[in-house]
Amino acid sequence: MTDFVLGISAYYHDSAACLVGEGKIIAAAQEERFSRKKFDEAFPEQVIRYCLSEAGISLAQVKAVVFYDKPMLKFERLLETYYHHAPRGFTSFQASMPIWLKDKLFLRTTLQKALKEIDADVECPLYFSEHHLSHAASAFYPTAFEEAAILTIDGVGEWATAGIHHGKGTQIATLSEMKYPDSVGLLYTAFTYFLGFRVNSGEYKLMGLAPYGRPEQAATLRQKLEKELVTLYPDGSLSLNQDYFQYSTSLKMIKERKWQQLWGFGTRQTSEPIAQHHADLALAIQQFTEEVVIRMAKTAKELTNSRNLCLAGGVALNCVATGKLENLGLFDHIYTQPASGDAGGAMGAALAFYHLYLQKPRLLTNGYDALHGSYLGPSFSEQELERVVRRSGLPYQYFPEFSQLTSAVADHLVEGKVVGWFQGRMEWGPRALGNRSILADPRNLEMQSVLNLKTKMREDFRPFAPAVPQESKSRYFESERPSPYMTTTCLVKPEHRSAVVPNFAEADITIKLKTTKSSLPAVTHADFSARVQTVTEETNSRFYQLLKSFEAKTGCPVLINTSFNVNEEPIVASPSDALRCFLSTQIDLLVLGNFVLTKP
């Protein structure tokens, strides 16, 4: 009899569920893709129903449901923090207590009630994992590593804000932890807020803004940062000067008047244009964060003497930091869980229970990992796709041979068309990886601004990722390492870079935005970096064939690959979602399986 384990993450942000059975990851997705509510924190009922359907089982056949952290420990931290800072924070305490007493403190009852909505006759055994153990398990167990150092870094779990662990076989041992309120994740989030981006979702915007900063000015700002805000220790741990923060006592991250006095300008409003001093400060905190990650990784190496490193937690999604870490050569292999944030905790909770509690063996894969290319979400039959196509009333073509389809789509891409690409199972994690993607020609000088402003409807400084066949990566980029999940960056090779103004690094943001930086201008960032996705025929044969078809027509095997959504909306999950996005944007072509739709 198969032991199925269901992992759940919910009630904070990025609600998700994952089903594990027979030593395999069967299905995983975020609730936002089904509810269409960005960063949905609700109980992931729709995802659970999908996971059970994918496995062909009922809830009664699930051996255990595992929540990704321990609410009682979080409540303990909350009470101790309020007590320590009393009477400051009473307003926040008064606001949060009813929520905790009504829902979160008695989460077992809340979860059981929610599970009853799926099957009223089933009483599922319910367990709770620790937050950073869930992160560590999500990163280590899917890999092909028999043993590895594991580094988990985020804002805060129960008490821990970062952890160094050692995975060996089916066991995970925690060797060192950093505790709240000291947290590089919370520090980065504070700068995210100060620079005018949304907390817990805008951190990647700050990372994208950083290369437009000027290194000399950023170095000065970083000195001030380390003098006033934070003390960094050799092992990567740090201590935050709480005189500048108020996340412990209120719903705000920072003491805004003190930050204004420190930096010489106030909190940027969302509608306020981005100025050069914003980019300079973004670069300062980005470089500081990279140093923290590198020091922690060196400590993990010293503690474990491992050749392998696994990364998880929200800070692990800082692909620039992981790219710098890879370049050090400290580890032979570095693996980042593609859903490193709280959503990934659902997968980790299920895997931790399966291997640690049930003591089930790992089925070590011979490939990259056990995530099946991260294609763990729902797929749709040709009949389902055809129904959506016919109901749309739009002009369309059907290609019985996939090679005919890729040739026709490649022709459109060469003509400068923007293509919505919907194939197979939906991706797990925040990145589109060739199944729910918007694709375009990276050689097109205008494509970055066209996609940002007219299609994705987002800030013009935001970079786009290139997708390339694994065997062709080293033709354009200074790395041969696989990067199937866009979890790291690397530099475009010098021979593909364009001539730029002298001392380009110190140029201001307007010059960097307007300068053509390489022969692939739409995917080359201001510092000549790119967040590359490598594609193999084994993991995604359809996307791989399209890349090869585009190469056959152009000599270039690279395509822009960005997520199939617009700003502030989740990535599309169903063909109906894809159709709505297609009709509401300036996407020129929609490919649903072997159907190609155009606009009148």
Side-chain angles (χ1 to χ4, degrees):
M1 180 178 174
T2 299
D3 289 320
F4 292 102
V5 180
L6 180 68
I8 294 175
S9 162
Y11 304 123
Y12 182 47
H13 59 85
D14 293 337
S15 167
C18 172
L19 185 67
V20 172
E22 295 181 328
K24 299 176 183 177
I25 300 164
I26 297 169
Q30 289 175 235
E31 185 72 6
E32 67 166 21
R33 306 290 177 87
F34 297 83
S35 68
R36 310 308 302 157
K37 179 183 176 183
K38 188 78 168 172
F39 309 118
D40 196 348
E41 64 180 33
F43 179 79
E45 179 180 342
Q46 295 182 79
V47 181
I48 293 171
R49 291 184 184 277
Y50 153 67
C51 288
L52 296 174
S53 174
E54 187 69 37
I57 63 171
S58 68
L59 192 59
Q61 293 169 270
V62 173
K63 188 176 185 69
V65 176
V66 191
F67 195 70
Y68 80 122
D69 68 7
K70 293 182 180 292
M72 288 300 292
L73 285 179
K74 275 192 174 180
F75 188 64
E76 174 190 280
R77 171 182 39 97
L78 194 70
L79 287 180
E80 284 198 26
T81 301
Y82 282 131
Y83 178 77
H84 177 75
H85 291 281
R88 286 183 299 133
F90 180 74
T91 303
S92 175
F93 176 81
Q94 197 174 32
S96 65
M97 278 305 103
I99 299 171
W100 271 92
L101 294 174
K102 180 175 180 291
D103 296 318
K104 295 187 177 181
L105 190 58
F106 304 103
L107 195 58
R108 182 178 295 275
T109 302
T110 303
L111 289 169
Q112 290 286 15
K113 183 179 178 182
L115 289 165
K116 289 284 187 185
E117 294 294 320
I118 297 174
D119 192 331
D121 298 324
V122 175
E123 190 77 26
C124 283
L126 190 58
Y127 299 85
F128 295 84
S129 176
E130 288 189 0
H131 189 97
H132 275 256
L133 173 61
S134 296
H135 278 319
S138 76
F140 174 61
Y141 288 130
T143 69
F145 306 146
E146 169 60 30
E147 69 83 34
I150 311 167
L151 187 55
T152 59
I153 319 172
D154 63 6
V156 61
E158 294 90 2
W159 278 101
T161 61
I164 295 172
H165 322 264
H166 191 199
K168 195 169 185 179
T170 60
Q171 300 302 302
I172 294 176
T174 298
L175 306 180
S176 175
E177 285 187 332
M178 187 163 66
K179 300 292 180 69
Y180 182 89
D182 299 315
S183 166
V184 67
L186 290 177
L187 177 65
Y188 201 89
T189 294
F191 278 88
T192 299
Y193 170 79
F194 184 66
L195 292 172
F197 304 120
R198 183 176 171 179
V199 168
N200 290 328
S201 66
E203 285 77 8
Y204 57 92
K205 296 183 182 181
L206 189 158
M207 182 177 64
L209 178 61
Y212 292 98
R214 297 167 296 182
E216 288 186 11
Q217 283 78 0
T220 302
L221 293 170
R222 182 174 164 184
Q223 288 176 353
K224 187 182 290 189
L225 186 159
E226 295 196 49
K227 180 181 178 183
E228 297 289 339
L229 288 185
V230 58
T231 301
L232 177 60
Y233 301 105
D235 65 352
S237 63
L238 50 81
S239 176
L240 298 183
N241 181 354
Q242 292 300 316
D243 289 343
Y244 284 89
F245 301 91
Q246 57 185 79
Y247 53 77
S248 293
T249 58
S250 80
L251 300 178
K252 284 192 173 183
M253 289 297 303
I254 62 175
K255 295 177 180 177
E256 297 195 45
R257 183 173 295 179
K258 288 184 73 71
W259 277 58
Q260 182 171 357
Q261 292 171 346
L262 179 62
W263 303 117
F265 58 91
T267 305
R268 187 183 77 87
Q269 302 304 306
T270 305
S271 57
E272 183 184 343
I274 291 172
Q276 185 61 55
H277 57 262
H278 297 130
D280 294 339
L281 190 56
L283 180 57
I285 183 57
Q286 173 61 33
Q287 290 179 337
F288 176 81
T289 302
E290 292 163 12
E291 180 65 24
V292 172
V293 172
I294 288 169
R295 290 193 188 189
M296 286 186 178
K298 287 180 177 178
T299 303
K301 178 73 173 181
E302 291 170 3
L303 293 176
T304 64
N305 197 33
S306 178
R307 297 166 52 210
N308 308 309
L309 177 68
C310 301
L311 295 164
V315 176
L317 288 173
N318 192 307
C319 56
V320 180
T322 57
K324 298 282 177 67
L325 184 57
E326 279 197 343
N327 289 338
L328 282 180
L330 193 63
F331 295 89
D332 292 348
H333 306 287
I334 296 179
Y335 177 87
T336 304
Q337 159 63 233
S340 277
D342 278 8
M347 178 177 287
L351 289 170
F353 185 87
Y354 192 84
H355 295 298
L356 293 174
Y357 188 86
L358 297 180
Q359 297 184 338
K360 297 287 186 179
R362 292 169 67 199
L363 300 179
L364 292 174
T365 174
N366 292 324
Y368 186 75
D369 65 6
L371 293 187
H372 315 294
S374 204
Y375 306 109
L376 297 169
S379 62
F380 298 84
S381 67
E382 188 167 283
Q383 291 75 21
E384 290 172 305
L385 296 177
E386 185 175 6
R387 279 198 294 270
V388 172
V389 169
R390 291 188 180 279
R391 287 173 185 169
S392 73
L394 295 174
Y396 73 90
Q397 276 185 286
Y398 176 76
F399 293 87
E401 297 294 330
F402 192 70
S403 59
Q404 296 173 337
L405 172 83
T406 57
S407 179
V409 173
D411 284 336
H412 287 291
L413 289 165
V414 172
E415 292 168 5
K417 300 288 180 63
V418 177
V419 176
W421 180 259
F422 186 102
Q423 304 287 337
R425 295 184 71 176
M426 183 177 71
E427 299 91 339
W428 165 245
R431 310 294 182 213
L433 300 169
N435 279 4
R436 303 290 186 275
S437 293
I438 295 173
L439 308 175
D441 186 347
R443 304 167 304 156
N444 190 319
L445 287 171
E446 305 298 324
M447 194 54 71
Q448 182 183 4
S449 60
V450 167
L451 285 174
N452 269 330
L453 302 178
K454 294 184 178 182
T455 302
K456 298 283 284 186
M457 303 173 193
R458 65 185 199 178
E459 300 87 350
D460 59 353
F461 66 83
R462 300 270 297 278
F464 288 102
V468 62
Q470 171 63 54
E471 68 272 16
S472 301
K473 182 182 182 184
S474 60
R475 281 174 53 188
Y476 290 88
F477 305 102
E478 291 187 342
S479 171
E480 295 182 359
R481 289 185 292 263
S483 179
Y485 303 137
M486 294 186 188
T487 52
T488 186
T489 61
C490 59
L491 294 175
V492 174
K493 279 191 165 182
E495 58 264 36
H496 292 286
R497 299 180 197 174
S498 303
V500 294
V501 297
N503 203 19
F504 180 69
E506 294 295 336
D508 66 33
I509 190 170
T510 53
I511 291 175
K512 287 180 178 176
L513 274 171
K514 293 177 181 178
T515 300
T516 300
K517 290 170 277 292
S518 81
S519 60
L520 302 174
V523 296
T524 305
H525 208 16
D527 56 357
F528 302 103
S529 68
R531 190 185 73 227
V532 182
Q533 178 200 1
T534 54
V535 183
T536 65
E537 191 165 19
E538 293 74 26
T539 54
N540 194 332
S541 62
R542 290 194 156 220
F543 192 31
Y544 181 85
Q545 287 178 58
L546 179 62
L547 290 166
K548 299 302 283 187
S549 185
F550 184 75
E551 180 183 17
K553 295 175 185 293
T554 65
C556 174
V558 184
L559 284 175
I560 294 172
N561 178 14
T562 188
S563 55
F564 199 156
N565 66 323
V566 295
N567 196 28
E568 298 305 322
E569 281 194 8
I571 297 174
V572 302
S574 70
S576 298
D577 298 334
L579 181 63
R580 280 193 296 271
C581 188
F582 173 57
L583 293 173
S584 64
T585 64
Q586 295 193 27
I587 297 174
D588 300 300
L589 209 71
L590 173 60
V591 183
L592 298 175
N594 285 29
F595 296 91
V596 178
L597 290 80
T598 54
K599 293 173 180 174

